[in-house]
Amino acid sequence: MRGKKLWFKAGSLLTLGLVVVVLFMTLSANNIINANDVSNGTNSNNVGNANNSNSLAWDKTFAPNDKVTVEKVSFNNRLGINLVADMYLPKNMNRAKKAPAIIVGHPFGGVKEQTSGLYAQEMAERGFVTLAFDASYNGESGGQPRNIASVEALVEDFSAAVDFLGTRPFVDRDRIGVIGVCASGGFAINAAQIDPRLKAIATVSMYDMGRATREGLGYAPVPSEMMTKEDRIKVLDEVAEQRWTEFEGGQKKYGSPTAVELKPSQVAAAKEFSDYYGTPRGYHPRSAAMSLTSTGVLMNYFPFAQIETISPRPILFIAGENAHSRYYSEDAYKLAGELKELYIVPGAGHVDLYDKMEYIPFKKLESFFKENLKKR
């Protein structure tokens, strides 16, 4: 999940890291690239080569891999929104054969140049065609207004990515899987419930954004600090008032509501996010906080309502042993049908699985997808 703007009532402590992430998010809100400047999916059958990828300025938070090539592509989703993505391929792949493919979704408010791109690049080195895309209304992808959370679009984007990959001549459309990191874990699960073309699903540090918004203003709280019904009413009243303001031409607001004060567990989670997004480790100028008015939509979101219908397609839930969000994966695992697996990474926190190579279980992901995307 993307670190949000954080406002505290008098007497609360605001750490330097949180100040930094607020400033970065404010600056990034206006830093949007035109999606029309990249190749369209209707004519992207030719894969980029090493020379092509090297001609692009490397604008990612992780180092390039010389065993992988990358091409920037774009395609429309069902809603007509143009999605911009980076497609990663094994450098020496045989393009006369059809390869398995994996879609990778980024955390809430993140962009493809961060965590999802790292996962896509690493899985490409392991033999998969991979695609890391910017969600609708975010990053380089289209959609107006900017930086809003439209649940239908966020789920639809995964099916649109299947549309794109499945029409590449070097991809086997019957062997497409998905990795969803943080909030995209929930969106990917939601997409798989209605799109049987997603044959294998893996989530990493999964966030249930509906539950997180209802219980913790977007941050997973400990049980004793969950929001009450009265808290939720206060938040929705604030969101409703902001809708009046924006409709009448007033200032848009981004980040968390302020009607309810963050509890200590939420502050700790926010600090963990800011240590990634608000520092050189994970900062990217196109990664930005979501609109305040997105809160109401997210409160009404229940991504696992039909999770059992994914069965018998396999689901792998990966969570850190010390992750503040671990219970989302554990609860979803209980609701899912077979085949399913819960894999706990020893010693890892939530954001550790964004970019810390010593924690991310790429061998586990590789074996999961090679087994479940193999030719039948």
Side-chain angles (χ1 to χ4, degrees):
M1 190 179 78
R2 176 69 167 95
K4 297 182 177 182
K5 288 186 179 180
L6 300 175
W7 303 98
F8 293 79
K9 293 182 179 179
S12 296
L13 175 65
L14 184 60
T15 67
L16 176 61
L18 299 181
V19 173
V20 171
V21 75
V22 172
L23 292 174
F24 280 154
M25 288 185 296
T26 302
L27 289 171
S28 63
N30 296 320
N31 196 348
I32 306 298
I33 301 295
N34 190 336
N36 293 326
D37 291 339
V38 299
S39 58
N40 187 278
T42 58
N43 59 12
S44 298
N45 287 340
N46 294 325
V47 182
N49 54 37
N51 291 332
N52 183 25
S53 65
N54 289 339
S55 68
L56 298 174
W58 191 260
D59 60 348
K60 313 189 192 311
T61 62
F62 52 91
N65 186 328
D66 62 8
K67 297 178 182 178
V68 174
T69 61
V70 59
E71 179 187 1
K72 184 166 284 190
V73 299
S74 73
F75 49 92
N76 286 349
N77 67 14
R78 184 179 61 85
L79 306 174
I81 297 172
N82 188 253
L83 303 181
V84 179
D86 288 327
M87 183 166 58
Y88 296 82
L89 304 103
K91 189 171 185 178
N92 298 316
M93 70 175 288
N94 183 348
R95 295 169 189 162
K97 295 183 178 181
K98 291 184 178 293
I102 299 172
I103 299 157
V104 188
H106 58 66
F108 194 69
V111 289
K112 64 187 180 303
E113 290 80 12
Q114 298 167 320
T115 298
S116 59
L118 172 63
Y119 275 73
Q121 180 174 259
E122 290 297 315
M123 295 307 290
E125 182 181 354
R126 289 160 170 78
F128 300 91
V129 174
T130 61
L131 189 76
F133 64 90
D134 283 333
S136 293
Y137 308 104
N138 290 270
E140 292 184 300
S141 288
Q144 292 291 337
R146 303 304 300 168
N147 304 112
I148 66 168
S150 170
V151 173
E152 181 182 8
L154 291 169
V155 174
E156 159 61 23
D157 291 345
F158 285 92
S159 289
V162 177
D163 295 339
F164 174 79
L165 283 175
T167 52
R168 304 309 97 188
F170 43 84
V171 169
D172 186 338
R173 64 170 56 182
D174 294 320
R175 299 161 66 201
I176 298 176
V178 62
I179 299 172
V181 184
C182 194
S184 278
F187 301 141
I189 290 286
N190 212 182
Q193 293 171 20
I194 58 174
D195 196 335
R197 300 175 300 170
L198 290 166
K199 302 300 185 184
I201 301 94
T203 70
V204 180
S205 288
M206 183 175 66
Y207 242 68
D208 177 342
M209 285 306 301
R211 184 176 173 186
T213 306
R214 290 187 297 275
E215 296 178 348
L217 290 176
Y219 300 102
V222 297
S224 63
E225 295 180 352
M226 290 181 181
M227 290 167 56
T228 64
K229 177 181 177 181
E230 290 71 26
D231 289 336
R232 288 192 290 272
I233 291 173
K234 290 179 182 178
V235 168
L236 290 175
D237 283 344
E238 179 183 355
V239 171
E241 188 63 32
Q242 180 61 26
R243 290 184 64 112
W244 288 124
T245 297
E246 293 185 14
F247 189 84
E248 293 173 335
Q251 180 68 39
K252 293 182 181 294
K253 288 186 179 180
Y254 297 87
S256 297
T258 60
V260 176
E261 185 176 7
L262 294 179
K263 304 297 192 299
S265 61
Q266 298 163 289
V267 173
K271 178 61 166 60
E272 186 179 357
F273 289 123
S274 75
D275 286 344
Y276 177 79
Y277 290 104
T279 69
R281 173 186 168 194
Y283 168 70
H284 194 279
R286 287 192 293 272
S287 178
M290 292 291 192
S291 68
L292 175 64
T293 56
S294 296
T295 304
V297 172
L298 290 169
M299 273 200 186
N300 208 33
Y301 181 49
F302 297 83
F304 308 135
Q306 301 183 84
I307 191 172
E308 75 283 355
T309 64
I310 296 174
S311 177
R313 288 171 289 154
I315 308 176
L316 171 64
F317 300 94
I318 297 174
E321 177 185 18
N322 302 322
H324 68 269
S325 59
R326 174 174 168 174
Y327 60 86
Y328 292 144
S329 294
E330 293 173 333
D331 290 352
Y333 171 80
K334 293 173 185 176
L335 293 172
E338 297 292 345
L339 302 165
K340 61 181 179 179
E341 181 181 357
L342 177 63
Y343 185 87
I344 302 299
V345 180
H350 178 89
V351 178
D352 288 335
L353 298 182
Y354 280 23
D355 65 334
K356 292 188 177 180
M357 301 298 285
E358 66 270 30
Y359 288 118
I360 301 174
F362 281 117
K363 288 184 178 179
K364 179 64 178 178
L365 287 165
E366 178 182 2
S367 64
F368 172 77
F369 284 110
K370 284 189 173 177
E371 171 62 27
N372 292 294
L373 295 181
K374 64 185 179 183
K375 288 184 178 181
R376 304 295 180 182

